[in-house]
Amino acid sequence: MANRTDTDAKSIHGTNPQNLVEKITRNKIYASVYWKKDCFGLSAETLVDKAVELKYVGGMIGEPQKPTEFICLLLKMLQIQPDKEIIIEFIKNDDYKYVRLLGGFATLQ
């Protein structure tokens, strides 16, 4: 799938959903090791497994402004736009607070 939005994804505010993330941030996410190694080729089902592994929430961290795993998965959710049922299950999850937060962000689209 590369870095393109799923063809079945609906546009948000008349544009590509990935454009909700600033271009410079998107480019840093695409260049990050986590994106290339862990997010490439994720589907809606395997996204859940990666979301469970989250240990913190953040955007860009450190001096070179590296993207966190959270923002990488958020961009992936914008890219593949999982079904509403999956997002609802993210929100209902009481065991993993970061999964719940990721689902909350996904409902804002």
Side-chain angles (χ1 to χ4, degrees):
M1 178 187 277
N3 295 330
R4 286 181 268 157
T5 304
D6 188 5
T7 55
D8 295 331
K10 54 187 173 164
S11 65
I12 299 173
H13 302 295
T15 186
N16 184 339
Q18 290 188 76
N19 290 343
L20 294 175
V21 177
E22 187 177 294
K23 182 175 175 43
I24 294 171
T25 304
R26 270 195 330 263
N27 290 339
K28 287 185 179 186
I29 290 171
Y30 295 151
S32 74
V33 174
Y34 184 78
W35 179 265
K36 292 177 182 176
K37 181 180 164 201
D38 295 324
C39 294
F40 191 81
L42 280 181
S43 66
E45 293 79 24
T46 56
L47 181 73
V48 175
D49 298 332
K50 289 294 176 188
V52 166
E53 296 172 5
L54 286 174
K55 293 181 177 45
Y56 54 89
V57 173
M60 306 292 279
I61 59 170
E63 182 55 38
Q65 293 294 298
K66 292 183 185 178
T68 62
E69 288 90 358
F70 179 82
I71 197 138
C72 289
L73 292 178
L74 183 63
L75 183 64
K76 192 62 172 181
M77 285 185 77
L78 289 171
Q79 189 180 54
I80 62 175
Q81 285 189 351
D83 294 332
K84 284 287 185 195
E85 294 82 28
I86 293 174
I87 294 173
I88 298 297
E89 288 303 317
F90 271 46
I91 294 171
K92 287 182 179 178
N93 189 327
D94 289 331
D95 298 329
Y96 301 100
K97 59 185 173 187
Y98 301 124
V99 172
R100 192 172 197 177
L101 188 60
L102 194 61
F105 269 102
T107 59
L108 296 176
Q109 41 174 313

